[in-house]
Every structure is written in C-alpha cells, then in structure tokens.
Amino acid sequence: MSRLDDQPPGPPHPPAHGHAHGHQHGPAAPVSARLRKVIAAVLIPFAAVMAAGLVLLWPGGTPEQDGHTGVGFDQQTEQARVTEVTETPCEELGVQVPRGNPGACERATVEVTSGPDAGRTFTEVVPPDATQRFDVGQEVVVAYAPDAPEELQYSVRDVDRQLPILLLAAIFALAVVVVGRLRGLLALVGLGVSFSVLTLFILPAILHGSNPLVVAVIGGSVIMLTTLYLTHGVNARTSVAVLGTLVSLLLIGALGSLFIGWAHLTGNTDEQTGLVHSLYPGIEVRGLLLAGILIGSLGVLDDVTVTQTSVVWELKQADPSAGWLTLYRSGMRIGRDHIASVVNTLVLAYAGAALPLLLLFMIARSGVSSVAFSELVSEEIVRTLVGSIGLVASVPVTTLLAALVVNADRPSSAPAPAPAPLPAQAGGGGTATSRHRRRKRRR
C-alpha cells in the first residue's frame, strides 16, 4: 500500500484514484517509521525492565504453612447437603434472641458428603434474625476442625454456589465473543493473563514479603502491556495509550503515597487485612493499600487512554490537514464528556464496594464529620479521589501525546492543487478519458 502523504502532486487522476484506494483498503500508516522507532526506544526498555522485575521477584508459589490455622478462610472444608429443616422454639435450643425478632429457630440436619466422615450428620441451628436460610437438598460447605470435640467438629461455613457462578461466567464469555468476535476473544485472553499475573505473581510475591508497591507496579505494568497490545494490536496508536497510562499511574502513585502518609493511614482497617497481617507480619500493610489503589485504577485508565487515542486518530483521518493543536482541542472537547462519565463510574464503583461504610453516615450519632474523617472512611475517600485525579489527568495527557504523535512527520499544509481540476473539464471529458486510457496502456 502506497504512502499517499509522501507522494508529490500529480495529474488529476492519481489523487482521485488514491482516495478511493485508501477507503477501500484502509488508511496509510499515520506516523513514519522513524517515529515508530522513537516510540519503541521508549517502550522496549521499559518492557525489558518490567520483565526483569517479574523474573527477579517471582515468588514461586504461595508460602507454605505447617497446617490450617482455622481462622477465616484458612480452614479445612468438606462438602455437605442439608437433609432436613424443622422449626423449633429458640428457648428449647437455648438460643438468646434479641428483642424485636419474634419467630422460631430453624434446626437444619446436615449430612457430610466428602472426606473421611462422609455420611456423618450434624445439626446446625439458625436463629430467626439470621440472613442465611437453608432448604432441604441444598449443597453447603462445612468447616472441619479435627481437634475439636466430636459434636463441634463440623459447622456450616457457606453455601455451595459454584454452579451459578460458573454459569454466569460462561454467559459473560459467550456474550463477549458473540458481540466482540475476534476482538472479544482476545479480550478474554487478556483477562486470563490479568488473572494469572494477579494470582501467580502479585499476591504470592506480597505474601513472600516483597514491597507491595513495587510488586503492584511491575505486575500492573505487565498486565497493561500484555492486554493492550494483545487486544488493540502492536502499533503506534496502542503505544501512545500505553504511554498515557504510564504517566497517569505515576501520578496516582505519587499522590497516593503523599496523602496516605500525610493522613497517617495504616491500611489495617478491616478484619481481612488484620487477619492477613497476623498470619504474615512481614507484609507492609500501608504499601498494600497503595498497591490496591494502583491496580484498582488500572482497568479504568486503560479504557480512557485507548478511547482518547482512537478519537485523535479518527480526527486526523477525517481531516489530514489538521495540526496538533486543532486535534488536541477537538479531542479534549470529547474528552471532557469522557471525564464526567468515568469519574462518576469510578466513584460509584468504590461506593458500591463500600456501601456498608456509607451507612455509617446515616446511623452515626457522633456527627458526620467524625465518621468521614475516621481512618475507615478516609481510606476509601483517599482511594476514590486519588484514582479520580489520575483518571482526569489521563485525558489531557493522552490526548496531547496522541495529537503530537499522529501529527509528527506529516505535511503541515494541504497538497498543491492540481493544474487542471476535473470540474473545469466538464466540456472536455472525452479528452481526459482518452489520456487516462493511454496511461493505463503504457502501464
């Protein structure tokens, strides 16, 4: 395919023919080979450093422990099934029920279906104010404590919800492939890569005592490079989106580190974090908080930077004579709408995840300000605002990079007009046609 922008002006026919050819087979490369080499000179060393960090910090699996601690999710579990559910007065079972919760207790008979005690049954008491109820035939997961007294060795830990979750995942994958076709399939592969890096590198490396921030930067960068290039192709457009994402991640990391330290946030504000810290005291919990902010912002950042880069590329394709400043201003008009939507998306995503915390604002008697500035809520505020600032900054940064790159090494002015435009030959079309036929015969 010829580079139309590099060709000198010629007779009337070749420009018209070249225009039709470009729309039929796709536009010419928007940047020169020299500029692509400059982009590669920036990204290839960065990718090499991230790959080296991945190798050096590779944990080699989750740290081994002598046995189950029996705390939280670190319990030995077996499969079981509810075989009978009967209502019994709570007084007969010795269960104290808070006032305002009338009703009988439920006594569920549960049969263990896996492990050395398969076939054994035990009783689970469900008070009337419990949120989880059981039905006959329901599959459940039970915790097994072999060192406890025999009547206390088994207890229901959770409901077995494997089937509906796997079915929902299959529906999601099918929808992505049907609508996205090859691009959707590549997106699913990228999702698999992200999950693999998270579970095989980021989490085990943090458990082994590596700095959570360094691990998050390396793992997040590997996820970004792999998924973006896999999904959108190895080209200058994707490279600009990668650069815009990197700049925004650096800003998020700097702001997060500053305000986490300034606000004296420890990151140890919930039971899960406290349990992890008690099992692995070497983990830097504050770094874990900052790592979570970086990884949580990465997915939305990819969407913003890819979209803004594509916008600028399409604007250049629609008006090849547009300069970088015109492209930047046009892209920012679209980007401002994008900012409003993604900030709202991020805030609502964090709000949905921290919905119980928002209820504290409604029930707190000590005042809204005391709740809002407590560590529990301030942590979510810092997480949300730092991520949102990075998202807002990614729009002008990526738009500017895309405008400069797509306009580099391109003619700044429109080609000189043809000496004899076709409209002026309305009365002599036969002569133009004969010249065209003679040129085809010579070719």
Side-chain angles (χ1 to χ4, degrees), residues 183 186 227-239:
R183 187 65 60 86
L186 292 176
T227 55
L228 283 181
Y229 282 117
L230 179 65
T231 306
H232 302 284
V234 181
N235 49 52
R237 182 187 304 194
T238 306
S239 299

Side-chain angles (χ1 to χ4, degrees), residues 4 161 219 227 247 276 343 411:
L4 301 180
R161 51 181 64 90
T227 55
V247 173
V276 170
V343 168

Side-chain angles (χ1 to χ4, degrees), residues 41-354:
V42 175
L43 290 178
I44 290 179
F46 172 76
V49 171
M50 294 300 103
L54 191 71
V55 173
L56 291 176
L57 295 179
W58 189 261
T62 305
E64 294 290 338
Q65 287 187 337
D66 296 335
H68 294 281
T69 63
V71 181
F73 286 97
D74 192 23
Q75 298 174 325
Q76 183 175 343
T77 61
E78 301 292 347
Q79 298 297 313
R81 181 185 302 109
V82 178
T83 58
E84 184 181 2
V85 177
T86 58
E87 287 190 358
T88 306
C90 296
E91 294 79 8
E92 295 183 9
L93 299 174
V95 177
Q96 297 292 330
V97 180
R99 292 183 178 180
N101 288 289
C105 292
E106 289 184 351
R107 184 167 56 182
T109 302
V110 183
E111 179 184 359
V112 180
T113 58
S114 66
D117 295 326
R120 178 177 168 181
T121 61
F122 66 95
T123 300
E124 184 81 10
V125 177
V126 183
D129 58 340
T131 56
Q132 181 64 61
R133 298 288 175 174
F134 300 112
D135 300 318
V136 175
Q138 187 175 23
E139 301 290 335
V140 294
V141 178
V142 295
Y144 175 50
D147 297 332
E150 183 176 353
E151 65 275 8
L152 301 176
Q153 287 183 340
Y154 286 96
S155 62
V156 176
R157 197 188 78 170
D158 205 348
V159 173
D160 186 357
R161 51 181 64 90
Q162 182 176 356
L163 178 60
I165 297 300
L166 292 179
L167 179 60
L168 180 60
I171 294 174
F172 162 75
L174 180 63
V176 171
V177 173
V178 169
V179 177
R181 298 184 181 180
L182 178 60
R183 187 65 60 86
L185 181 60
L186 292 176
L188 289 178
V189 176
L191 182 62
V193 171
S194 301
F195 185 76
S196 299
V197 173
L198 183 64
T199 56
L200 299 179
F201 172 70
I202 295 179
L203 298 180
I206 292 175
L207 290 178
H208 275 277
S210 300
N211 187 291
L213 179 58
V214 175
V215 172
V217 169
I218 294 175
S221 299
V222 171
I223 290 174
M224 176 191 61
L225 291 171
T226 304
T227 55
L228 283 181
Y229 282 117
L230 179 65
T231 306
H232 302 284
V234 181
N235 49 52
R237 182 187 304 194
T238 306
S239 299
V240 171
V242 169
L243 289 174
T245 305
L246 287 177
V247 173
S248 302
L249 281 178
L250 289 176
L251 177 61
I252 291 174
L255 287 176
S257 179
L258 172 64
F259 283 95
I260 287 175
W262 194 2
H264 299 284
L265 299 177
T266 64
N268 192 4
T269 55
D270 54 31
E271 295 180 359
Q272 290 81 8
T273 306
L275 177 59
V276 170
H277 185 59
S278 65
L279 296 176
Y280 297 91
I283 293 178
E284 185 185 350
V285 180
R286 179 177 294 183
L288 192 62
L289 172 60
L290 183 55
I293 295 175
L294 287 173
I295 296 176
S297 302
L298 183 60
V300 187
L301 272 177
D302 290 350
D303 172 65
V304 173
T305 55
V306 169
T307 300
Q308 286 303 117
T309 305
S310 298
V311 163
V312 174
W313 246 259
E314 293 301 324
L315 289 172
K316 184 66 176 179
Q317 179 64 24
D319 184 7
S321 63
W324 72 268
L325 186 57
T326 301
L327 293 174
Y328 174 76
R329 288 174 176 172
S330 300
M332 280 303 299
R333 282 195 292 270
I334 301 173
R336 291 185 187 100
D337 293 334
H338 204 185
I339 287 174
S341 62
V342 297
V343 168
N344 192 47
T345 299
L346 186 64
V347 170
L348 290 180
Y350 281 132

